[in-house]
Protein backbone atom coordinates (compact mmCIF):
# COMPACT_ATOMS: atom_id res chain seq x y z
CA UNK A 1 0.00 0.00 0.00
CA UNK A 2 0.91 3.69 -0.17
CA UNK A 3 1.93 3.86 3.49
CA UNK A 4 4.41 1.01 3.15
CA UNK A 5 5.83 2.52 -0.04
CA UNK A 6 6.36 5.85 1.73
CA UNK A 7 8.11 4.11 4.64
CA UNK A 8 10.34 2.17 2.26
CA UNK A 9 11.15 5.33 0.31
CA UNK A 10 12.01 7.18 3.52
CA UNK A 11 14.19 4.27 4.66
CA UNK A 12 16.03 4.16 1.35
CA UNK A 13 16.57 7.90 1.53
CA UNK A 14 18.07 7.52 5.01
CA UNK A 15 20.34 4.72 3.87
CA UNK A 16 21.45 6.77 0.89
CA UNK A 17 22.27 9.69 3.20
CA UNK A 18 24.32 7.44 5.47
CA UNK A 19 26.17 5.98 2.50
CA UNK A 20 27.01 9.44 1.19
CA UNK A 21 28.20 10.41 4.67
CA UNK A 22 30.53 7.41 4.82
CA UNK A 23 31.89 8.11 1.35
CA UNK A 24 32.61 11.69 2.39
CA UNK A 25 34.22 10.46 5.60
CA UNK A 26 36.54 7.97 3.93
CA UNK A 27 37.48 10.48 1.25
CA UNK A 28 38.19 13.13 3.86
CA UNK A 29 40.14 10.64 5.96
CA UNK A 30 42.43 9.91 3.05
CA UNK A 31 43.28 13.59 2.71
CA UNK A 32 43.42 14.14 6.49
CA UNK A 33 46.27 11.68 6.92
CA UNK A 34 48.61 13.99 5.04
CA UNK A 35 51.18 15.68 7.26
CA UNK A 36 49.99 19.17 6.33
CA UNK A 37 46.57 20.77 6.23
CA UNK A 38 44.48 19.71 3.26
CA UNK A 39 41.48 21.82 2.25
CA UNK A 40 39.80 18.79 0.70
CA UNK A 41 39.98 16.98 4.04
CA UNK A 42 38.08 19.85 5.65
CA UNK A 43 35.53 19.87 2.83
CA UNK A 44 34.73 16.15 2.84
CA UNK A 45 34.79 15.69 6.63
CA UNK A 46 32.52 18.71 7.10
CA UNK A 47 30.12 17.16 4.60
CA UNK A 48 30.26 13.82 6.42
CA UNK A 49 29.18 15.23 9.80
CA UNK A 50 26.53 17.37 8.12
CA UNK A 51 25.00 14.24 6.61
CA UNK A 52 25.56 12.07 9.68
CA UNK A 53 26.24 14.06 12.87
CA UNK A 54 26.89 10.94 14.97
CA UNK A 55 30.08 10.09 13.05
CA UNK A 56 32.49 10.59 15.96
CA UNK A 57 35.54 9.62 13.91
CA UNK A 58 34.67 12.29 11.35
CA UNK A 59 34.41 14.92 14.08
CA UNK A 60 37.80 13.89 15.45
CA UNK A 61 39.52 13.90 12.07
CA UNK A 62 38.00 17.27 11.23
CA UNK A 63 39.30 18.59 14.53
CA UNK A 64 42.78 17.32 13.71
CA UNK A 65 42.50 18.95 10.30
CA UNK A 66 41.66 22.31 11.86
CA UNK A 67 44.59 21.80 14.25
CA UNK A 68 46.90 21.51 11.26
CA UNK A 69 45.27 24.66 9.87
CA UNK A 70 46.03 26.35 13.22
CA UNK A 71 42.34 27.15 13.67
CA UNK A 72 42.27 26.20 17.34
CA UNK A 73 38.74 27.41 18.05
CA UNK A 74 37.35 25.28 15.21
CA UNK A 75 39.40 22.29 16.37
CA UNK A 76 38.08 22.67 19.92
CA UNK A 77 34.51 22.88 18.63
CA UNK A 78 34.98 19.66 16.66
CA UNK A 79 36.28 17.67 19.62
CA UNK A 80 33.47 19.03 21.77
CA UNK A 81 31.05 18.12 18.98
CA UNK A 82 32.39 14.57 18.97
CA UNK A 83 31.93 14.30 22.73
CA UNK A 84 28.30 15.39 22.41
CA UNK A 85 27.79 12.35 20.20
CA UNK A 86 29.57 9.99 22.57
CA UNK A 87 32.30 10.15 25.19
CA UNK A 88 35.57 8.78 23.85
CA UNK A 89 39.21 9.00 24.88
CA UNK A 90 40.51 10.26 21.52
CA UNK A 91 38.30 13.36 21.62
CA UNK A 92 39.14 13.97 25.27
CA UNK A 93 42.87 13.74 24.62
CA UNK A 94 42.72 16.02 21.59
CA UNK A 95 40.54 18.52 23.43
CA UNK A 96 43.04 18.58 26.29
CA UNK A 97 45.87 19.35 23.87
CA UNK A 98 43.94 22.11 22.09
CA UNK A 99 42.81 23.78 25.31
CA UNK A 100 46.39 24.08 26.57
CA UNK A 101 47.25 26.02 23.42
CA UNK A 102 44.41 28.53 23.71
CA UNK A 103 43.87 31.75 25.62
CA UNK A 104 43.83 35.43 24.74
CA UNK A 105 45.33 36.48 28.06
CA UNK A 106 46.99 34.99 31.13
CA UNK A 107 43.71 34.47 33.00
CA UNK A 108 42.05 32.69 30.10
CA UNK A 109 45.13 30.55 29.48
CA UNK A 110 45.14 29.50 33.13
CA UNK A 111 41.46 28.52 32.97
CA UNK A 112 42.07 26.56 29.80
CA UNK A 113 44.98 24.70 31.39
CA UNK A 114 42.78 23.75 34.34
CA UNK A 115 40.07 22.49 31.99
CA UNK A 116 42.70 20.69 29.93
CA UNK A 117 43.81 18.76 33.01
CA UNK A 118 40.24 17.77 33.89
CA UNK A 119 39.64 16.51 30.37
CA UNK A 120 42.92 14.57 30.33
CA UNK A 121 41.99 12.92 33.63
CA UNK A 122 38.69 11.84 32.10
CA UNK A 123 40.54 10.21 29.21
CA UNK A 124 42.72 8.24 31.64
CA UNK A 125 39.66 7.17 33.63
CA UNK A 126 38.10 5.69 30.49
CA UNK A 127 41.04 3.32 30.00
CA UNK A 128 43.78 3.26 32.62
CA UNK A 129 45.89 1.01 30.43
CA UNK A 130 46.12 3.47 27.54
CA UNK A 131 49.63 4.91 27.25
CA UNK A 132 48.64 7.85 25.08
CA UNK A 133 46.08 9.01 27.64
CA UNK A 134 48.70 8.86 30.39
CA UNK A 135 51.15 10.79 28.21
CA UNK A 136 48.61 13.55 27.52
CA UNK A 137 47.76 13.65 31.23
CA UNK A 138 51.46 14.02 32.04
CA UNK A 139 51.68 17.00 29.72
CA UNK A 140 48.56 18.50 31.29
CA UNK A 141 50.04 18.17 34.79
CA UNK A 142 53.29 19.71 33.56
CA UNK A 143 51.41 22.64 32.03
CA UNK A 144 49.41 23.03 35.22
CA UNK A 145 52.61 23.29 37.26
CA UNK A 146 54.36 25.83 35.05
CA UNK A 147 51.26 27.74 33.93
CA UNK A 148 48.98 27.75 36.96
CA UNK A 149 49.76 26.09 40.27
CA UNK A 150 53.52 25.90 40.93
CA UNK A 151 52.44 23.06 43.19
CA UNK A 152 54.98 20.23 43.30
CA UNK A 153 52.07 17.77 43.47
CA UNK A 154 51.48 18.49 39.78
CA UNK A 155 55.11 17.67 39.00
CA UNK A 156 54.85 14.43 40.96
CA UNK A 157 51.65 13.55 39.10
CA UNK A 158 53.32 14.39 35.78
CA UNK A 159 56.23 12.07 36.55
CA UNK A 160 53.89 9.24 37.55
CA UNK A 161 51.83 9.75 34.40
CA UNK A 162 54.92 9.59 32.16
CA UNK A 163 56.02 6.43 33.90
CA UNK A 164 52.61 4.86 33.32
CA UNK A 165 52.76 5.94 29.70
CA UNK A 166 56.16 4.34 29.27
CA UNK A 167 55.10 1.01 30.75
CA UNK A 168 51.71 0.86 29.01
CA UNK A 169 51.34 -1.73 26.30
CA UNK A 170 49.28 0.49 24.01
CA UNK A 171 50.12 3.22 21.53
CA UNK A 172 53.85 2.41 21.46
CA UNK A 173 54.62 5.16 23.97
CA UNK A 174 58.09 3.73 24.52
CA UNK A 175 58.90 5.10 21.05
CA UNK A 176 57.60 8.60 21.79
CA UNK A 177 60.58 10.98 22.04
CA UNK A 178 58.47 13.74 23.59
CA UNK A 179 57.61 11.49 26.50
CA UNK A 180 61.28 11.18 27.42
CA UNK A 181 62.02 14.82 26.70
CA UNK A 182 59.18 16.04 28.90
CA UNK A 183 59.99 13.58 31.66
CA UNK A 184 63.58 14.80 31.49
CA UNK A 185 62.25 18.30 32.17
CA UNK A 186 60.52 17.08 35.33
CA UNK A 187 63.58 15.14 36.50
CA UNK A 188 65.86 18.10 35.85
CA UNK A 189 63.59 20.25 38.00
CA UNK A 190 63.82 17.61 40.74
CA UNK A 191 67.62 17.76 40.33
CA UNK A 192 67.72 14.08 39.39
CA UNK A 193 70.34 14.95 36.79
CA UNK A 194 71.52 11.45 35.99
CA UNK A 195 68.08 10.20 35.00
CA UNK A 196 67.27 13.51 33.30
CA UNK A 197 70.32 13.16 31.04
CA UNK A 198 69.35 9.55 30.28
CA UNK A 199 65.85 10.66 29.24
CA UNK A 200 67.11 13.54 27.09
CA UNK A 201 69.56 11.21 25.35
CA UNK A 202 66.84 8.61 24.75
CA UNK A 203 64.62 11.32 23.28
CA UNK A 204 67.40 12.41 20.92
CA UNK A 205 68.02 8.82 19.86
CA UNK A 206 64.38 8.57 18.82
CA UNK A 207 64.29 12.06 17.28
CA UNK A 208 67.75 13.41 16.33
CA UNK A 209 66.28 16.84 15.58
CA UNK A 210 65.95 17.36 19.33
CA UNK A 211 69.74 17.59 19.47
CA UNK A 212 69.30 21.20 18.33
CA UNK A 213 67.87 21.85 21.79
CA UNK A 214 70.32 19.60 23.60
CA UNK A 215 69.93 20.18 27.33
CA UNK A 216 72.44 17.58 28.42
CA UNK A 217 75.34 20.02 28.15
CA UNK A 218 73.55 22.29 30.60
CA UNK A 219 73.40 19.50 33.14
CA UNK A 220 76.66 17.57 32.91
Amino acid sequence: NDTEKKKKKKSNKGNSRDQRALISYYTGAAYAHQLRYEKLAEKHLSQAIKLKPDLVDAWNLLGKTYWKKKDLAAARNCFQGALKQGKNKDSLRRLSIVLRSMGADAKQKAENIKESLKVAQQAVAMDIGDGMSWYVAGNAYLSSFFGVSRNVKDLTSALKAYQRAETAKTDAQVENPDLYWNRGTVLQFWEDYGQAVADYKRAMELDPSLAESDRTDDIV
Side-chain angles (χ1 to χ4, degrees), residues 64-168:
K64 295 174 187 178
T65 298
Y66 281 126
W67 171 266
K68 293 176 185 177
K69 191 181 181 181
K70 303 189 186 303
D71 188 341
L72 301 185
R76 176 198 60 198
N77 292 342
C78 284
F79 298 131
Q80 290 174 335
L83 290 167
K84 287 179 182 178
Q85 302 302 321
K87 191 174 182 181
N88 67 94
K89 58 188 180 183
D90 188 25
S91 299
L92 290 168
R93 290 192 301 243
R94 293 287 174 175
L95 181 57
S96 175
I97 293 168
V98 170
L99 286 170
R100 289 201 305 275
S101 303
M102 297 183 69
D105 53 44
K107 182 178 179 180
Q108 191 175 55
K109 286 180 180 178
E111 290 302 316
N112 285 341
I113 289 173
K114 291 177 183 178
E115 183 63 24
S116 168
L117 180 54
K118 290 179 182 178
V119 172
Q121 290 168 334
Q122 290 176 36
V124 168
M126 289 194 71
D127 182 0
I128 61 171
D130 191 299
M132 179 59 77
S133 294
W134 280 110
Y135 167 68
V136 171
N139 290 346
Y141 280 116
L142 195 59
S143 294
S144 179
F145 173 77
F146 286 112
V148 180
S149 70
R150 286 290 172 176
N151 189 327
V152 293
K153 288 183 179 180
D154 281 338
L155 272 189
T156 301
S157 295
L159 187 58
K160 289 179 179 178
Y162 290 139
Q163 290 170 338
R164 290 293 298 268
E166 182 184 26
T167 57

Side-chain angles (χ1 to χ4, degrees), residues 162-200:
Y162 290 139
Q163 290 170 338
R164 290 293 298 268
E166 182 184 26
T167 57
K169 301 299 182 183
T170 58
D171 296 303
Q173 283 305 295
V174 290
E175 298 303 319
N176 182 351
D178 292 329
L179 186 159
Y180 294 100
W181 191 262
N182 293 347
R183 189 172 67 180
T185 300
V186 178
L187 291 166
Q188 184 176 353
F189 189 89
W190 282 125
E191 298 184 355
D192 186 348
Y193 298 126
Q195 188 57 52
V197 168
D199 273 357
Y200 286 142

